[in-house]
Amino acid sequence: MALPEQARVVGLGQACVDFLGRVPVYPREDGKVELLDLHRQCGGPASTALVTLSRLGVPCSFLGSVSDDPFGKEIVEALKHEGVDASFLNILPGYSSQYAFIAVSKESGNRTIFWHRGTVPHLTKDRVDLSPFTQAEILHLDGLMIEASIEAVKQARSRGLTVVLDAGTLREGSVELASMVDVLIASARFADPLVGAGAKPEKALEALSALGPKTVVMTLGQGGSLGWDGDSPLRQEAFPVEAADTTGAGDVYHGAYIYGLLQGWVMKACMRFASAAAAMKCREVGARKGIPRLHEVRAFMKSFPQDSSSPASA
């Protein structure tokens, strides 16, 4: 397992336990449907991105807040099993940790998430200290713990770290946080309050860029991803796979994109690698089971030798 002083990436945010039930069809309200099977594994945006990086060979450390309940213990053990350092994870006794139930469509692999944040208090800004991570190059945030995230960004700036934000849902404080980061990787849903639901992706990308980050990527699910680094929009198509479950695909994309940043790759290469890793994950149920190793991503990409990135029409 990585030691804090070895970590090249520090992540701050969510970790949870997921129960995933596959269903033949999604039921209407007050309806009923039989589960085809039930799976249990850990998830959470920031923590799953770090698990992705660890499987790709990058030492990582995770900051967050869990309790000493069975879910909290499972979260910690899962991180350790994946080689992610959790020695500075805040463990508060007597509360409940985050968990979720996820209904997964057998036909499409799409998922509907019902989640509970637990009763454990968020990580507070006075508990954020990046000084132990002497080799860290990147800070990755998932944006849930706003005050702690903003404090972490301030410390990262003083240490010369690149800051990456996974922006899934626009919450109070999200715009301020997004304006402080270097790389913003956002879902299309995050941009909806800024441009209106149903706006063209290019318009949403422009609005996200106006917030201030140097680089913006918007993930579009089966539509791939759209990027902007101040030059011209770049589109990356999704890699075709038979999807069993899309849970965690965005989190894996973030982790794999960060891997590319650590290699010094240009945006085009980062997006293509991240898209490949995210697609491979979708072949298995759960956020983490299908996360590939580095040699597996390389082999997968070789089977698609054509360049599936292309300039996007503005």
Side-chain angles (χ1 to χ4, degrees):
M1 187 174 70
L3 299 174
E5 60 271 20
Q6 297 173 327
R8 298 183 66 190
V9 180
V10 178
L12 189 158
Q14 296 176 330
C16 66
V17 174
D18 293 337
F19 295 86
L20 305 109
R22 289 197 309 141
V23 294
V25 294
Y26 191 79
R28 66 184 185 279
E29 187 175 357
D30 200 31
K32 184 186 296 185
V33 66
E34 181 180 1
L35 290 177
L36 300 174
D37 47 39
L38 185 65
H39 303 257
R40 175 173 175 164
Q41 56 186 277
C42 289
S47 55
T48 299
L50 295 189
V51 169
T52 301
L53 282 158
S54 184
R55 290 197 186 180
L56 295 172
V58 177
C60 301
S61 291
F62 178 65
L63 303 178
S65 186
V66 299
S67 193
D68 61 347
D69 62 328
F71 286 161
K73 292 176 181 177
E74 187 171 344
I75 288 167
V76 173
E77 287 305 310
L79 289 169
K80 290 180 178 179
H81 176 74
E82 293 288 352
V84 176
D85 169 57
S87 56
F88 287 91
L89 180 63
N90 199 31
I91 302 176
L92 298 173
Y95 296 94
S96 62
S97 302
Q98 185 175 317
Y99 61 91
F101 173 74
I102 304 173
V104 181
S105 169
K106 177 187 177 183
E107 293 302 318
S108 66
N110 291 333
R111 80 288 187 270
T112 303
I113 301 175
F114 305 85
W115 68 285
H116 188 273
R117 69 179 66 228
T119 61
V120 64
H122 282 179
L123 188 68
T124 55
K125 63 181 182 180
D126 60 294
R127 299 284 299 183
V128 177
D129 180 12
L130 300 186
S131 63
F133 310 108
T134 54
Q135 300 300 314
E137 301 170 54
I138 292 178
L139 170 68
H140 179 54
L141 310 167
D142 65 22
L144 180 68
M145 305 177 193
I146 294 293
E147 290 188 1
S149 295
I150 290 175
E151 174 60 27
V153 173
K154 292 176 180 177
Q155 294 186 28
R157 286 274 173 268
S158 68
R159 295 177 172 276
L161 275 64
T162 298
V163 182
V164 179
L165 173 61
D166 164 7
T169 302
L170 189 64
R171 303 181 175 91
E172 184 178 354
S174 294
V175 170
E176 178 185 0
L177 182 60
S179 70
M180 302 172 67
V181 307
D182 300 295
V183 181
L184 174 63
I185 304 177
S187 68
R189 183 179 65 252
F190 181 83
D192 282 349
L194 302 176
V195 296
K200 289 185 177 181
E202 290 79 12
K203 182 178 179 181
L205 191 70
E206 182 180 352
L208 294 174
S209 299
L211 297 178
K214 300 172 184 176
T215 300
V216 177
V217 177
M218 189 165 63
T219 54
L220 305 170
Q222 293 181 348
S225 53
L226 191 65
W228 171 260
D229 61 359
D231 184 14
S232 60
L234 183 71
R235 183 177 291 277
Q236 169 64 51
E237 301 298 334
F239 284 82
V241 294
E242 186 173 341
D245 178 20
T246 59
T247 302
D251 310 330
V252 173
Y253 186 104
H254 304 141
Y257 192 98
I258 290 171
Y259 178 86
L261 292 178
L262 291 169
Q263 312 311 308
W265 295 346
V266 296
M267 172 183 271
K268 180 177 181 179
C270 290
M271 290 175 66
R272 188 166 190 268
F273 182 82
S275 182
M280 295 177 74
K281 183 245 78 73
C282 291
R283 299 182 300 187
E284 298 284 354
V285 175
R288 298 183 183 174
K289 183 179 179 181
I291 298 175
R293 306 283 178 178
L294 181 58
H295 70 277
E296 294 172 324
V297 184
R298 287 173 170 166
F300 178 81
M301 293 177 69
K302 284 182 179 178
S303 64
F304 297 92
Q306 73 278 11
D307 188 353
S308 54
S309 299
S310 61
S313 57

